[in-house]
Short mmCIF file of all heavy atoms in Angstrom, two decimals:
data_model
loop_
_atom_site.label_atom_id
_atom_site.label_comp_id
_atom_site.label_asym_id
_atom_site.label_seq_id
_atom_site.Cartn_x
_atom_site.Cartn_y
_atom_site.Cartn_z
N ILE A 1 41.01 25.09 110.01
CA ILE A 1 40.87 23.93 109.11
C ILE A 1 40.19 22.84 109.87
O ILE A 1 40.12 22.81 111.08
CB ILE A 1 42.27 23.46 108.58
CG1 ILE A 1 43.19 23.06 109.67
CG2 ILE A 1 42.91 24.60 107.69
CD1 ILE A 1 44.48 22.50 109.22
N ASP A 2 39.69 21.85 109.04
CA ASP A 2 38.81 20.81 109.66
C ASP A 2 39.65 19.68 110.30
O ASP A 2 40.33 18.94 109.59
CB ASP A 2 37.93 20.26 108.54
CG ASP A 2 36.96 19.20 109.12
OD1 ASP A 2 36.48 19.36 110.22
OD2 ASP A 2 36.57 18.21 108.35
N LYS A 3 39.56 19.61 111.55
CA LYS A 3 40.30 18.59 112.35
C LYS A 3 39.94 17.16 111.88
O LYS A 3 40.88 16.29 111.72
CB LYS A 3 40.01 18.73 113.86
CG LYS A 3 40.67 17.67 114.72
CD LYS A 3 40.25 17.82 116.19
CE LYS A 3 40.85 16.74 117.08
NZ LYS A 3 40.40 16.92 118.50
N THR A 4 38.67 16.86 111.62
CA THR A 4 38.25 15.59 111.22
C THR A 4 38.89 15.17 109.90
O THR A 4 39.38 14.03 109.82
CB THR A 4 36.74 15.51 111.11
OG1 THR A 4 36.11 15.89 112.33
CG2 THR A 4 36.29 14.11 110.68
N ALA A 5 38.94 16.08 108.94
CA ALA A 5 39.58 15.69 107.64
C ALA A 5 41.06 15.51 107.83
O ALA A 5 41.62 14.54 107.25
CB ALA A 5 39.30 16.82 106.67
N VAL A 6 41.72 16.28 108.59
CA VAL A 6 43.14 16.16 108.81
C VAL A 6 43.52 14.84 109.45
O VAL A 6 44.40 14.13 109.02
CB VAL A 6 43.76 17.38 109.56
CG1 VAL A 6 45.20 17.13 109.82
CG2 VAL A 6 43.55 18.61 108.81
N GLU A 7 42.82 14.51 110.53
CA GLU A 7 43.04 13.29 111.26
C GLU A 7 42.66 12.05 110.51
O GLU A 7 43.29 10.97 110.55
CB GLU A 7 42.31 13.35 112.55
CG GLU A 7 42.88 14.39 113.53
CD GLU A 7 42.25 14.36 114.89
OE1 GLU A 7 41.10 13.76 115.02
OE2 GLU A 7 42.86 14.88 115.86
N ARG A 8 41.67 12.17 109.65
CA ARG A 8 41.22 11.01 108.85
C ARG A 8 42.19 10.68 107.64
O ARG A 8 42.46 9.55 107.30
CB ARG A 8 39.85 11.21 108.32
CG ARG A 8 39.21 10.03 107.57
CD ARG A 8 37.77 10.28 107.18
NE ARG A 8 36.95 10.46 108.41
CZ ARG A 8 35.71 10.89 108.35
NH1 ARG A 8 35.10 11.17 107.21
NH2 ARG A 8 35.02 10.94 109.47
N PHE A 9 42.64 11.80 106.98
CA PHE A 9 43.35 11.56 105.73
C PHE A 9 44.82 12.03 105.76
O PHE A 9 45.52 11.93 104.73
CB PHE A 9 42.68 12.29 104.55
CG PHE A 9 41.24 11.86 104.37
CD1 PHE A 9 40.14 12.67 104.68
CD2 PHE A 9 40.96 10.55 103.92
CE1 PHE A 9 38.86 12.25 104.50
CE2 PHE A 9 39.63 10.12 103.71
CZ PHE A 9 38.57 10.95 104.02
N GLY A 10 45.23 12.55 106.87
CA GLY A 10 46.64 12.97 107.06
C GLY A 10 47.05 14.01 106.00
O GLY A 10 46.32 15.00 105.74
N ASP A 11 48.26 13.87 105.37
CA ASP A 11 48.75 14.88 104.39
C ASP A 11 47.90 15.00 103.14
O ASP A 11 48.06 15.96 102.37
CB ASP A 11 50.16 14.54 104.06
CG ASP A 11 51.13 14.90 105.21
OD1 ASP A 11 50.74 15.60 106.18
OD2 ASP A 11 52.22 14.29 105.22
N LYS A 12 46.98 13.99 102.94
CA LYS A 12 46.19 13.96 101.74
C LYS A 12 44.79 14.68 101.94
O LYS A 12 43.98 14.72 101.01
CB LYS A 12 46.00 12.58 101.28
CG LYS A 12 47.26 11.82 100.82
CD LYS A 12 46.93 10.41 100.35
CE LYS A 12 48.28 9.77 99.86
NZ LYS A 12 48.01 8.42 99.37
N TRP A 13 44.62 15.30 103.14
CA TRP A 13 43.36 15.89 103.42
C TRP A 13 42.96 17.00 102.45
O TRP A 13 41.79 17.29 102.23
CB TRP A 13 43.24 16.37 104.85
CG TRP A 13 43.99 17.66 105.10
CD1 TRP A 13 45.27 17.81 105.46
CD2 TRP A 13 43.47 18.98 105.01
NE1 TRP A 13 45.61 19.16 105.61
CE2 TRP A 13 44.47 19.89 105.27
CE3 TRP A 13 42.25 19.49 104.65
CZ2 TRP A 13 44.29 21.29 105.30
CZ3 TRP A 13 42.04 20.88 104.60
CH2 TRP A 13 43.02 21.74 104.92
N ALA A 14 44.03 17.68 101.90
CA ALA A 14 43.75 18.87 101.08
C ALA A 14 43.62 18.45 99.58
O ALA A 14 43.56 19.33 98.70
CB ALA A 14 44.85 19.89 101.21
N ARG A 15 43.54 17.21 99.27
CA ARG A 15 43.31 16.76 97.91
C ARG A 15 41.78 16.91 97.63
O ARG A 15 40.94 16.89 98.51
CB ARG A 15 43.75 15.34 97.67
CG ARG A 15 45.22 15.05 97.88
CD ARG A 15 46.04 15.77 96.89
NE ARG A 15 45.63 15.41 95.50
CZ ARG A 15 46.16 15.98 94.40
NH1 ARG A 15 46.94 16.98 94.49
NH2 ARG A 15 45.70 15.61 93.22
N PRO A 16 41.37 17.11 96.37
CA PRO A 16 40.00 17.39 96.03
C PRO A 16 39.07 16.34 96.57
O PRO A 16 37.90 16.63 97.05
CB PRO A 16 39.97 17.37 94.46
CG PRO A 16 41.33 17.78 94.14
CD PRO A 16 42.23 17.19 95.16
N GLU A 17 39.39 15.04 96.59
CA GLU A 17 38.55 13.98 96.97
C GLU A 17 38.21 14.00 98.46
O GLU A 17 37.24 13.48 98.94
CB GLU A 17 39.06 12.57 96.56
CG GLU A 17 40.41 12.26 97.18
CD GLU A 17 41.58 12.62 96.27
OE1 GLU A 17 41.45 13.62 95.45
OE2 GLU A 17 42.62 11.98 96.34
N HIS A 18 39.10 14.69 99.25
CA HIS A 18 38.91 14.80 100.71
C HIS A 18 38.68 16.20 101.18
O HIS A 18 38.47 16.43 102.41
CB HIS A 18 40.11 14.17 101.43
CG HIS A 18 40.59 12.83 100.95
ND1 HIS A 18 39.65 11.77 100.86
CD2 HIS A 18 41.78 12.38 100.59
CE1 HIS A 18 40.29 10.70 100.47
NE2 HIS A 18 41.60 11.03 100.26
N PHE A 19 38.67 17.10 100.34
CA PHE A 19 38.80 18.57 100.69
C PHE A 19 37.56 19.02 101.49
O PHE A 19 36.42 18.89 100.98
CB PHE A 19 39.02 19.37 99.45
CG PHE A 19 39.56 20.79 99.66
CD1 PHE A 19 40.85 20.90 99.96
CD2 PHE A 19 38.71 21.89 99.62
CE1 PHE A 19 41.40 22.20 100.24
CE2 PHE A 19 39.29 23.14 99.81
CZ PHE A 19 40.57 23.31 100.13
N VAL A 20 37.75 19.62 102.61
CA VAL A 20 36.74 20.25 103.40
C VAL A 20 37.16 21.69 103.65
O VAL A 20 38.35 21.90 104.12
CB VAL A 20 36.48 19.51 104.69
CG1 VAL A 20 35.40 20.28 105.54
CG2 VAL A 20 35.99 18.09 104.44
N CYS A 21 36.35 22.67 103.37
CA CYS A 21 36.73 24.06 103.49
C CYS A 21 35.60 24.98 104.11
O CYS A 21 34.51 24.42 104.45
CB CYS A 21 37.19 24.63 102.09
SG CYS A 21 35.83 24.51 100.93
N SER A 22 35.87 26.21 104.19
CA SER A 22 34.93 27.13 104.83
C SER A 22 34.60 28.34 103.95
O SER A 22 33.78 29.16 104.29
CB SER A 22 35.49 27.62 106.16
OG SER A 22 36.77 28.27 105.93
N GLY A 23 35.30 28.45 102.80
CA GLY A 23 35.15 29.72 101.96
C GLY A 23 34.10 29.64 100.90
O GLY A 23 33.30 28.69 100.82
N ALA A 24 34.22 30.63 100.02
CA ALA A 24 33.20 30.75 98.97
C ALA A 24 33.27 29.64 97.93
O ALA A 24 32.31 29.33 97.20
CB ALA A 24 33.35 32.10 98.27
N TYR A 25 34.49 28.98 97.86
CA TYR A 25 34.69 27.94 96.83
C TYR A 25 35.27 26.69 97.42
O TYR A 25 35.89 26.79 98.50
CB TYR A 25 35.55 28.48 95.70
CG TYR A 25 34.97 29.71 94.95
CD1 TYR A 25 35.28 30.99 95.34
CD2 TYR A 25 34.02 29.46 93.95
CE1 TYR A 25 34.65 32.06 94.73
CE2 TYR A 25 33.48 30.53 93.26
CZ TYR A 25 33.74 31.82 93.71
OH TYR A 25 33.19 32.89 93.07
N LYS A 26 35.09 25.56 96.75
CA LYS A 26 35.54 24.28 97.19
C LYS A 26 36.37 23.64 96.06
O LYS A 26 35.87 23.55 94.94
CB LYS A 26 34.38 23.39 97.62
CG LYS A 26 34.79 22.02 98.13
CD LYS A 26 33.50 21.20 98.46
CE LYS A 26 33.94 19.84 99.11
NZ LYS A 26 34.66 18.97 98.15
N VAL A 27 37.52 23.19 96.35
CA VAL A 27 38.40 22.63 95.34
C VAL A 27 37.75 21.24 94.90
O VAL A 27 37.45 20.44 95.75
CB VAL A 27 39.80 22.30 95.83
CG1 VAL A 27 40.61 21.56 94.75
CG2 VAL A 27 40.47 23.67 96.11
N THR A 28 37.53 21.12 93.57
CA THR A 28 36.85 19.85 93.06
C THR A 28 37.75 19.13 92.15
O THR A 28 37.44 17.92 91.81
CB THR A 28 35.54 20.24 92.38
OG1 THR A 28 35.85 21.16 91.31
CG2 THR A 28 34.56 20.82 93.29
N ASP A 29 38.85 19.72 91.60
CA ASP A 29 39.69 19.06 90.67
C ASP A 29 41.07 19.67 90.76
O ASP A 29 41.25 20.85 90.95
CB ASP A 29 39.18 19.16 89.23
CG ASP A 29 39.88 18.29 88.29
OD1 ASP A 29 40.53 17.29 88.69
OD2 ASP A 29 39.79 18.54 87.04
N TRP A 30 42.14 18.82 90.66
CA TRP A 30 43.51 19.27 90.66
C TRP A 30 44.31 18.37 89.75
O TRP A 30 44.58 17.22 90.08
CB TRP A 30 44.05 19.24 92.09
CG TRP A 30 45.36 19.90 92.24
CD1 TRP A 30 46.29 20.23 91.28
CD2 TRP A 30 46.04 20.24 93.50
NE1 TRP A 30 47.42 20.80 91.82
CE2 TRP A 30 47.33 20.79 93.19
CE3 TRP A 30 45.65 20.13 94.85
CZ2 TRP A 30 48.15 21.24 94.20
CZ3 TRP A 30 46.55 20.64 95.79
CH2 TRP A 30 47.76 21.10 95.46
N VAL A 31 44.70 18.91 88.58
CA VAL A 31 45.58 18.23 87.70
C VAL A 31 46.98 18.91 87.83
O VAL A 31 47.05 20.05 87.34
CB VAL A 31 45.06 18.21 86.26
CG1 VAL A 31 46.00 17.45 85.29
CG2 VAL A 31 43.66 17.67 86.19
N VAL A 32 47.95 18.23 88.33
CA VAL A 32 49.18 18.83 88.62
C VAL A 32 49.81 19.44 87.31
O VAL A 32 49.86 18.79 86.29
CB VAL A 32 50.18 17.79 89.24
CG1 VAL A 32 51.57 18.35 89.40
CG2 VAL A 32 49.60 17.28 90.54
N ASN A 33 50.34 20.64 87.45
CA ASN A 33 50.96 21.43 86.38
C ASN A 33 50.02 21.76 85.21
O ASN A 33 50.39 22.05 84.16
CB ASN A 33 52.16 20.70 85.85
CG ASN A 33 53.31 20.76 86.80
OD1 ASN A 33 53.52 21.74 87.52
ND2 ASN A 33 54.07 19.57 86.87
N GLU A 34 48.70 21.58 85.45
CA GLU A 34 47.73 21.95 84.43
C GLU A 34 46.66 22.88 84.96
O GLU A 34 46.41 23.96 84.37
CB GLU A 34 47.02 20.68 83.91
CG GLU A 34 46.05 20.90 82.72
CD GLU A 34 45.42 19.68 82.22
OE1 GLU A 34 46.10 18.62 82.18
OE2 GLU A 34 44.20 19.76 81.75
N LYS A 35 46.01 22.49 86.08
CA LYS A 35 44.89 23.38 86.59
C LYS A 35 44.44 22.93 87.91
O LYS A 35 44.61 21.79 88.35
CB LYS A 35 43.74 23.36 85.60
CG LYS A 35 43.03 21.99 85.53
CD LYS A 35 41.84 22.04 84.57
CE LYS A 35 41.21 20.64 84.48
NZ LYS A 35 40.05 20.54 83.57
N ILE A 36 43.83 23.87 88.66
CA ILE A 36 43.07 23.59 89.87
C ILE A 36 41.73 24.21 89.58
O ILE A 36 41.60 25.32 89.21
CB ILE A 36 43.71 24.18 91.15
CG1 ILE A 36 44.99 23.38 91.49
CG2 ILE A 36 42.76 24.11 92.32
CD1 ILE A 36 45.74 23.95 92.65
N VAL A 37 40.66 23.39 89.87
CA VAL A 37 39.27 23.89 89.69
C VAL A 37 38.56 24.03 91.09
O VAL A 37 38.62 23.12 91.83
CB VAL A 37 38.45 23.00 88.83
CG1 VAL A 37 37.05 23.49 88.63
CG2 VAL A 37 39.20 22.89 87.45
N ALA A 38 37.95 25.19 91.33
CA ALA A 38 37.16 25.33 92.53
C ALA A 38 35.76 25.74 92.14
O ALA A 38 35.57 26.62 91.27
CB ALA A 38 37.78 26.35 93.42
N GLU A 39 34.78 25.13 92.73
CA GLU A 39 33.34 25.46 92.41
C GLU A 39 32.71 26.00 93.66
O GLU A 39 33.14 25.79 94.76
CB GLU A 39 32.64 24.14 91.99
CG GLU A 39 33.26 23.56 90.68
CD GLU A 39 32.50 22.42 90.15
OE1 GLU A 39 31.33 22.19 90.61
OE2 GLU A 39 33.03 21.71 89.27
N ARG A 40 31.66 26.76 93.41
CA ARG A 40 30.93 27.45 94.45
C ARG A 40 30.56 26.56 95.56
O ARG A 40 29.98 25.47 95.38
CB ARG A 40 29.70 28.08 93.79
CG ARG A 40 28.95 29.08 94.65
CD ARG A 40 27.96 29.88 93.81
NE ARG A 40 27.06 30.65 94.54
CZ ARG A 40 26.22 31.53 94.04
NH1 ARG A 40 26.17 31.66 92.69
NH2 ARG A 40 25.41 32.28 94.75
N ASN A 41 30.78 27.00 96.79
CA ASN A 41 30.44 26.26 98.00
C ASN A 41 29.07 26.73 98.46
O ASN A 41 28.97 27.87 99.07
CB ASN A 41 31.49 26.49 99.05
CG ASN A 41 31.11 25.91 100.42
OD1 ASN A 41 30.24 25.06 100.50
ND2 ASN A 41 31.80 26.41 101.50
N LYS A 42 28.06 25.97 98.22
CA LYS A 42 26.73 26.38 98.55
C LYS A 42 26.42 26.49 100.06
O LYS A 42 25.48 27.04 100.44
CB LYS A 42 25.69 25.43 97.93
CG LYS A 42 25.71 25.40 96.43
CD LYS A 42 25.21 26.74 95.88
CE LYS A 42 25.07 26.65 94.33
NZ LYS A 42 24.58 28.00 93.81
N ARG A 43 27.32 25.90 100.87
CA ARG A 43 27.16 25.97 102.31
C ARG A 43 27.97 27.19 102.88
O ARG A 43 28.01 27.36 104.15
CB ARG A 43 27.70 24.68 102.97
CG ARG A 43 26.75 23.45 102.67
CD ARG A 43 27.13 22.33 103.57
NE ARG A 43 26.12 21.21 103.49
CZ ARG A 43 26.29 20.07 102.75
NH1 ARG A 43 27.36 19.94 102.05
NH2 ARG A 43 25.33 19.18 102.74
N TYR A 44 28.60 27.93 102.05
CA TYR A 44 29.28 29.12 102.51
C TYR A 44 28.30 30.08 103.15
O TYR A 44 27.27 30.34 102.64
CB TYR A 44 30.03 29.76 101.33
CG TYR A 44 30.77 31.05 101.64
CD1 TYR A 44 31.64 31.16 102.78
CD2 TYR A 44 30.58 32.14 100.88
CE1 TYR A 44 32.31 32.32 102.93
CE2 TYR A 44 31.20 33.34 101.09
CZ TYR A 44 32.10 33.43 102.19
OH TYR A 44 32.77 34.58 102.40
N TRP A 45 28.64 30.66 104.29
CA TRP A 45 27.75 31.50 105.07
C TRP A 45 27.30 32.71 104.28
O TRP A 45 26.14 33.21 104.43
CB TRP A 45 28.37 31.97 106.33
CG TRP A 45 29.46 32.94 106.31
CD1 TRP A 45 30.84 32.72 106.11
CD2 TRP A 45 29.30 34.42 106.18
NE1 TRP A 45 31.49 33.91 106.03
CE2 TRP A 45 30.62 34.92 106.08
CE3 TRP A 45 28.24 35.25 106.26
CZ2 TRP A 45 30.84 36.32 105.93
CZ3 TRP A 45 28.48 36.64 106.23
CH2 TRP A 45 29.76 37.16 106.03
N ASN A 46 28.12 33.23 103.30
CA ASN A 46 27.75 34.43 102.54
C ASN A 46 27.53 34.07 101.13
O ASN A 46 27.78 34.86 100.17
CB ASN A 46 28.85 35.49 102.69
CG ASN A 46 28.37 36.84 102.35
OD1 ASN A 46 27.19 37.17 102.51
ND2 ASN A 46 29.28 37.71 101.96
N ASP A 47 27.05 32.82 100.82
CA ASP A 47 26.89 32.42 99.46
C ASP A 47 25.92 33.36 98.63
O ASP A 47 26.05 33.46 97.39
CB ASP A 47 26.30 31.01 99.41
CG ASP A 47 26.15 30.47 97.99
OD1 ASP A 47 27.19 30.38 97.24
OD2 ASP A 47 24.99 30.19 97.65
N LYS A 48 25.02 34.06 99.28
CA LYS A 48 24.09 34.91 98.62
C LYS A 48 24.79 36.04 97.87
O LYS A 48 24.32 36.62 96.92
CB LYS A 48 23.06 35.48 99.56
CG LYS A 48 23.62 36.43 100.62
CD LYS A 48 22.53 36.94 101.60
CE LYS A 48 23.08 37.98 102.50
NZ LYS A 48 24.16 37.44 103.35
#
């Protein structure tokens, strides 16, 4: 996980507005008890 994001935002680093990831998708929206939305991460190494 991204050290910079964790140290900058603490426990809120995994919220969509601060979210930094490494996988095929990136969390862009989270409405509690309704939905979580993840969109394609164009910087993913295997995006092709």
Side-chain angles (χ1 to χ4, degrees):
I1 60 177
D2 183 35
K3 175 183 179 181
T4 302
V6 175
E7 292 185 340
R8 183 176 298 171
F9 301 110
D11 289 340
K12 295 182 179 179
W13 77 269
R15 298 295 303 173
E17 60 268 27
H18 308 310
F19 200 75
V20 177
C21 61
S22 57
Y25 298 95
K26 181 180 185 294
V27 174
T28 57
D29 191 21
W30 188 347
V31 182
V32 176
N33 290 323
E34 183 179 327
K35 65 180 179 180
I36 290 177
V37 178
E39 298 185 13
R40 189 166 171 174
N41 173 18
K42 294 295 185 178
R43 291 192 170 101
Y44 176 51
W45 71 269
N46 201 27
D47 181 61
K48 67 181 185 299

